[in-house]
Amino acid sequence: MPRVGDLVHPTYKAALTATALLATATLVAGCESGSKTTESVSASSGGSSRPGCPSALLQAKRDVKAAEDINAPWSGPTSGPAVVPDRSIVYIAQTLTNPGVEGVAKGVQEAADVIGWHVRTINGQGTSAGLKTAFDQALALKPDGIVIGGFDPSSTADEVARANAVGIPLIGWHAVGAPGPSAKPKLFTNITTRVQDVARLSADWIIAQSNGRAGVVLFTDATIPFAKHKSDLIKKELATCSGVTLLSYENIPISQANSRTIGKVTSLAARFGNRWTYSAAINDLYFDYAGSALRAAGKNGAGAPFNIGAGDGDPSAFQRINGKEFQAATVPEPLSEQGWQIIDEFNRAFAGKPSSGYVAPVHITTAANSGGAPSWDSEGYREAYRKMWDK
């Protein structure tokens, strides 16, 4: 019988040849540092065969190659307590119109069905009032555990305190900035990839793909501290390459992305022309709206600006990437896998054990390694959890 880590999902097999070719890309050695250049760049490699930052480029290519691996062995937990039977969980969703939140909710439900627990999902509707109402409903159900799905627990501080007071364990998904247990607010654990890694690899992908010469626009939401921190980290990593120019740092709240992105992208395309060769955004959502404006500006969906989302990696982002429609890459969260992890973490809590400490490694998805799939999850996670749970 093959080991769990050796299993390869069928949807990715088609991409193995392309990935192997990518792995043979030449790495450039040397050292260079300095301030950003204002030299204009071309759509593919910045208008020059010489890299803009040899040492940074060398490291970026190494890190990107590792992050694009589609067949890395399972690195999550392989042992845990026996299943605690007959548990009930409530998943409070920030809003089910957020594909990331919805994807995790589906993973939680799938894993709960396997382990034999009951799950109810309550939609917070994306508003402060809606979240408070949803949390009140969750508490009234007297569940064994509650998931804080994609919202800041401080927005429901009273409800969190009530759950803590009656001993209901809380598990967050993107609830606080770092993975693992949290003391304030009190969470048994928080499930997320490390924002530092997501931001670094998003910037490194631009450095690697552009051969160290790029003109970049960065989209953020400064109203969300977590998002602002992520974009600041992206900006910091881009600055390690002297051949990369940050053309513009755009603040568009996610809640206004549908109304503001098209106009802003139209303006940026007119302002920067062919100097704008790459984009990064704290969430794939921005590129959902940018496409029509880029098309109207005469841009090709498979050409510059090449866009990477440092966000959830929802199915619409995979569709754009696979179709080469104004998005070239994403750094996705393994949404279904994280739903299964939430159920495993609750089982540890109910058994009186500590959290697993597992943090999913960061992955980069492109058309070359997606195999046409609509999402990303680590290989073998279902088999690993089923084996642990004896299910």
Side-chain angles (χ1 to χ4, degrees), residues 291 294-307 323-327:
L294 290 171
R295 187 177 293 108
K299 304 295 184 180
N300 186 313
F306 301 99
N307 301 319
K324 298 183 179 180
E325 285 294 320
F326 301 104
Q327 186 166 351

Side-chain angles (χ1 to χ4, degrees), residues 30 86 90 106 115 162 179 200 210 214 218 230 243 249 261 310 319 333 346 349 379:
D86 302 324
V90 175
K106 290 179 178 179
I115 207 170
R162 286 164 55 196
R200 176 177 54 82
S210 69
L218 177 56
K230 184 193 292 186
Y249 187 42
T261 301
Q319 184 176 14
E333 294 284 329
F346 271 126
E379 297 298 337

Side-chain angles (χ1 to χ4, degrees), residues 8-23 63-72 205 209 308 317-318 321-322 324 327-332 362-377 379:
V8 180
H9 195 288
T11 58
Y12 297 115
K13 287 183 178 178
L16 288 175
T17 300
T19 302
L21 291 173
L22 285 175
D63 292 347
V64 167
K65 176 185 174 183
E68 288 179 339
D69 185 5
I70 61 173
N71 197 30
W205 181 86
Q209 290 296 117
I308 182 168
F318 276 74
I321 291 166
N322 293 332
K324 298 183 179 180
Q327 186 166 351
T330 185
V331 184
V362 175
H363 178 74
I364 297 175
T365 291
T366 67
N369 71 356
S370 74
S375 62
W376 164 258
D377 294 289
E379 297 298 337

Side-chain angles (χ1 to χ4, degrees), residues 208-366:
Q209 290 296 117
S210 69
N211 202 35
R213 292 193 178 276
V216 183
V217 172
L218 177 56
F219 296 93
T220 191
D221 182 348
T223 68
I224 303 174
F226 180 80
K228 176 65 163 52
H229 178 53
K230 184 193 292 186
S231 59
D232 286 344
L233 290 171
I234 294 173
K235 183 166 61 171
K236 180 179 179 181
E237 182 69 11
L238 289 172
T240 65
C241 182
S242 61
V244 171
T245 303
L246 183 61
L247 299 174
S248 189
Y249 187 42
E250 297 295 334
N251 174 29
I252 301 176
I254 289 176
S255 61
Q256 300 173 24
N258 61 339
S259 61
R260 291 181 53 186
T261 301
I262 293 176
K264 177 55 67 176
V265 169
T266 299
S267 174
L268 290 167
R271 179 182 174 189
F272 295 115
N274 289 337
R275 289 196 297 146
W276 179 12
T277 57
Y278 286 83
S279 309
I282 53 93
N283 192 292
D284 296 299
L285 182 66
Y286 293 95
F287 303 127
D288 195 26
Y289 304 111
S292 61
L294 290 171
R295 187 177 293 108
K299 304 295 184 180
N300 186 313
F306 301 99
N307 301 319
I308 182 168
D312 293 344
D314 64 82
S316 67
F318 276 74
Q319 184 176 14
R320 289 189 296 275
I321 291 166
N322 293 332
K324 298 183 179 180
E325 285 294 320
F326 301 104
Q327 186 166 351
T330 185
V331 184
E333 294 284 329
L335 301 175
S336 178
E337 174 192 333
Q338 288 175 335
W340 281 62
Q341 184 183 352
I342 286 171
I343 292 299
D344 181 60
E345 301 291 2
F346 271 126
N347 190 56
R348 294 169 190 271
F350 300 148
K353 303 297 183 181
S355 62
S356 72
Y358 175 59
V359 181
V362 175
H363 178 74
I364 297 175
T365 291
T366 67

Side-chain angles (χ1 to χ4, degrees), residues 90-94 96 120-124 130 133-135 137-138 141:
V90 175
Y91 182 98
I92 304 174
Q94 188 265 345
L96 290 174
R120 177 170 174 179
T121 298
I122 302 177
N123 190 353
T133 298
F135 216 131
Q137 292 174 353
L141 292 170

Side-chain angles (χ1 to χ4, degrees), residues 24 42 50 59 202 219 231 256 345:
T24 64
S42 74
R50 294 183 60 191
Q59 189 62 53
S202 299
F219 296 93
S231 59
Q256 300 173 24
E345 301 291 2

